[in-house]
């Protein structure tokens, strides 16, 4: 069981706005920023968000936010190439571990 | 450009050990950390360990304590992951990733392509 909870699946149509959530507690998301990683067809993960900062080369339709113990990744203007698995991750000082969510499968209809 | 090149796939028998390498290029190796993350078939990502380029500390996930050793060779800009006493459930793709700091928090910003380790009798 993951320390961070994500939706198993989310879907949207091209051009739509979708939000993926990542829920934790005060030991992890409540204390540290959250990274988001995109994985297409079980290839290597790719960083798409560092807290609320965009990594170099990531389109600005991706945005990140956090409120309390829940982090969110929003994609505004969904594109077919955004179809992937998305994982959130942060440090948990109680577990003394880098924790990942179980992943959300994003389907672009 | 920044790259992490991992060694090729391995097939091991239960009880054996495996050593996976991750060679970095395109940046100053000692200025960044390296982490290891694995993914079992059909499963999510699982953190194993990371090396801090900031202070040289190595942090292991409790699950792997005593069975995993992470080392680095600064002369060849290579990180190694040595996992011992392999079991069938260690079958997974093993990723290395560069660890970087952004606004005071740490992230994995560049990932290797992964190394498939299969444990089977």
């Amino acid at each position: 069981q993951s320390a961070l909870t994500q939706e198993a699946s989310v879907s949207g149509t091209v051009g739509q706005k979708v939000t993926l959530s990542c829920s934790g507690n005060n030991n992890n998301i409540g204390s540290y920023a959250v990274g988001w990683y995109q994985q297409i067809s079980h290839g290597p993960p790719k960083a798409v968000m560092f807290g609320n900062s965009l990594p170099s080369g990531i389109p600005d339709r991706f945005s990140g936010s956090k409120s309390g113990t829940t982090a969110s990744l929003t994609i505004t203007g969904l594109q077919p190439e955004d179809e992937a698995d998305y994982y959130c991750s942060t440090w948990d000082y109680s577990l003394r571990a880098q924790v990942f969510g179980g992943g959300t499968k994003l389907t672009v209809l | 450009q920044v790259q992490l090149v991992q060694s090729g796939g391995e097939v091991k028998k239960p009880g054996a050990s495996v050593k996976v390498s991750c060679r970095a290029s395109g940046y100053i190796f000692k200025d960044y950390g390296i982490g290891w993350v694995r993914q079992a078939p059909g499963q999510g990502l699982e953190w194993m360990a990371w090396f801090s380029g900031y202070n040289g500390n190595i942090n292991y996930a409790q699950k792997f304590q005593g069975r995993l050793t992470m080392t680095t060779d600064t002369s060849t800009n290579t990180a190694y992951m040595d996992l011992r006493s392999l079991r069938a459930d260690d079958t997974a793709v093993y990723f290395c990733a560069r660890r970087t700091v952004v606004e005071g928090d740490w992230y994995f910003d560049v990932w290797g392509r992964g190394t498939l380790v299969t444990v089977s009798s």
Side-chain angles (χ1 to χ4, degrees), chain B residues 16-34:
Chain B
S17 299
V18 68
K19 192 169 188 175
V20 178
S21 67
C22 172
R23 180 170 53 84
S25 63
Y27 70 97
I28 300 173
F29 184 69
K30 65 178 179 63
D31 286 351
Y32 293 80
I34 291 281

Side-chain angles (χ1 to χ4, degrees), chain B residues 71-93:
Chain B
T71 56
T72 59
D73 183 345
T74 54
S75 69
T76 60
N77 294 342
T78 303
Y80 298 91
M81 179 218 63
D82 188 348
L83 187 62
R84 301 175 291 279
S85 302
L86 289 169
R87 306 184 290 255
D89 62 1
D90 290 318
T91 294
V93 176

